[in-house]
Amino acid sequence: MHFLVVEDTADVADAIIERLGRGGHCCDRAPSLEDARHFAATSAYDLMILDINLPDGSGLDFLRWLRQRKNAVPVLVLTARLAVDDKIGALDFGADDYMVKPFDLGELEARVRAIVRRRTGEAGATLSAGNLDFDMATRLATVDGAPLQLTPREQLLLEIFLVNKGRVLEKDELVMRLFGMDADAGPNAIELYVGRLRRKLSGANLEIRTLRGLGYQALVTRQDTIAP
């Protein structure tokens, strides 16, 4: 998935990005409010990790700015502050979760998964579409219980489609979600990865449709039933 890490402390940001990258996620880093606004205005994100104390202002101002523009991206707030009022303020401004520094990277990763699950309506750590299951923690995809051999990029693309079932995703948006802001990849790379993923999903109850001029749409297909 495509995340934005708004954090001015380089070693903290690098540790978060490295940990989430090992899980197959693509992360952009914004070290200031100005950079965060630029990223948010030019790219779509599945989740933002937001520090409150930034060199050019408060992360809460950025959170308020997002919500005023009807941007519903999930936000996990990070802060060194311990005051209860700060936590209440972050949640009231529209944060989905809150962690106090220093924090454990494993817990951060688990909270990220929990936020994604809540946003997709899934109760557990698994995203499903009929006979297709994808475990966000282990990155394992199965069809009727049989594991699929997916590359990390294919795992990420499948996760994007499962989280956004029914939604039309433009190629440019998929480029940003799959490769990030700094990538040189283009629409041709998306076509290549979608084609590979479709072949590996043969027999799964998930259809990835090409909508000419629009992009792609993942839909759950009808499951075959056996008459008694």
Side-chain angles (χ1 to χ4, degrees), residues 14-32:
D14 290 344
I16 293 172
I17 291 171
E18 194 275 335
R19 180 63 178 249
L20 294 175
R22 290 209 310 261
H25 304 294
C26 178
C27 298
D28 296 325
R29 182 198 168 202
S32 67

Side-chain angles (χ1 to χ4, degrees), residues 9 22 36 44 52 56 65 86 88 112-113 118 128 131-132 134-135 154 159 161 164 178 181 186 200 206 209-210 225:
T9 306
R22 290 209 310 261
I52 284 184
D56 52 347
W65 179 85
D86 291 325
I88 294 172
V112 165
R113 291 195 298 269
R118 290 200 298 269
S128 300
N131 62 350
L132 170 66
F134 179 76
D135 189 309
E154 291 165 352
E159 186 175 35
F161 279 127
N164 294 279
L178 201 59
M181 292 286 290
K200 293 185 178 182
L206 187 73
R209 294 182 178 178
T210 300
T225 56

Side-chain angles (χ1 to χ4, degrees), residues 97 109-119 122 136:
D97 203 351
E109 193 173 23
R111 287 180 181 240
V112 165
R113 291 195 298 269
I115 292 172
V116 172
R117 291 198 305 271
R118 290 200 298 269
R119 286 295 178 116
E122 300 283 352
M136 292 187 291

